[in-house]
Amino acid sequence: MRKIHLLGLCASLRRESNNAVILRTMGAELMPPNVFLHIHPLQDLPLYNSDYDVAEVPAPVVALRDAVNRVEGVILASPEYSHGMSGVMKNALDWLSSPVHPSPLKNKPTLTLTASPAFIGGTRAQQQLIETLWAIQAALVPYAPIVITNVEAKIRDGRLTDLATRAFLAQGIKTMEQLLRMDAPKPMLTWA
């Protein structure tokens, strides 16, 4: 069975980010055999400015675009800030949908999740993510929105422990894997 490489992008920069914990748990414990999740940091990504998107593209932007090009699918994890997706995620998506360069997210299978301590779990952020991904022409994985409510009660000792949430995430990953395995193998850059 061929290997599938996925990229995780976390839209929270907090050291103890719940979304980062979820992505790490997914990568370490929820991936099917021969499916690997690589988490790419967004801390050094500058604010989008089309003046810098020409000859001298900033190195963190080049690294992000290369990371997305290197994988077969992307998992986006965002908190909800002020009734919307985080500015970190919007900024990353702006760099990935530049009008100057081809978007590495175009037609790329993409799964989204939002997590929040609130009882609505980031539903408004989820809506904004999906709308932006639709505009970028990413291939949204046909799966119910992954909205994790009351997230702080579902994390213990640096990992996501809630069984129902883990099962829902695992099924979303499985849906993405099935979608990717239905397609013909694509040449991918190798991971070191």
Side-chain angles (χ1 to χ4, degrees), residues 14 16-25 115-117 148-163 165-166 169:
R14 282 190 319 119
E16 302 299 322
S17 162
N18 295 319
N19 285 273
V21 167
I22 292 166
L23 282 175
R24 285 193 303 267
T25 301
S116 169
I148 303 171
T149 64
N150 194 23
V151 68
E152 291 171 348
K154 298 174 181 177
I155 291 176
R156 292 286 176 266
D157 300 321
R159 50 188 288 273
L160 178 69
T161 57
D162 182 73
L163 296 179
T165 303
R166 289 169 61 95
L169 283 168

Side-chain angles (χ1 to χ4, degrees), residues 106-187:
K106 186 175 182 177
N107 300 319
K108 180 88 56 173
T110 305
L111 187 67
T112 63
L113 71 93
T114 54
S116 169
F119 70 95
I120 58 170
T123 55
R124 294 167 291 223
Q126 182 77 227
Q127 179 183 356
Q128 285 183 353
L129 266 172
I130 289 169
E131 183 176 337
T132 301
L133 291 168
W134 176 83
I136 295 171
Q137 299 178 18
L140 293 170
V141 173
Y143 191 68
I146 300 173
V147 176
I148 303 171
T149 64
N150 194 23
V151 68
E152 291 171 348
K154 298 174 181 177
I155 291 176
R156 292 286 176 266
D157 300 321
R159 50 188 288 273
L160 178 69
T161 57
D162 182 73
L163 296 179
T165 303
R166 289 169 61 95
F168 192 60
L169 283 168
Q171 186 57 49
I173 297 163
K174 187 70 176 166
T175 301
M176 183 179 225
E177 178 197 19
Q178 290 168 344
L179 179 73
L180 290 167
R181 292 205 185 281
M182 286 184 342
D183 291 340
K186 300 172 183 67

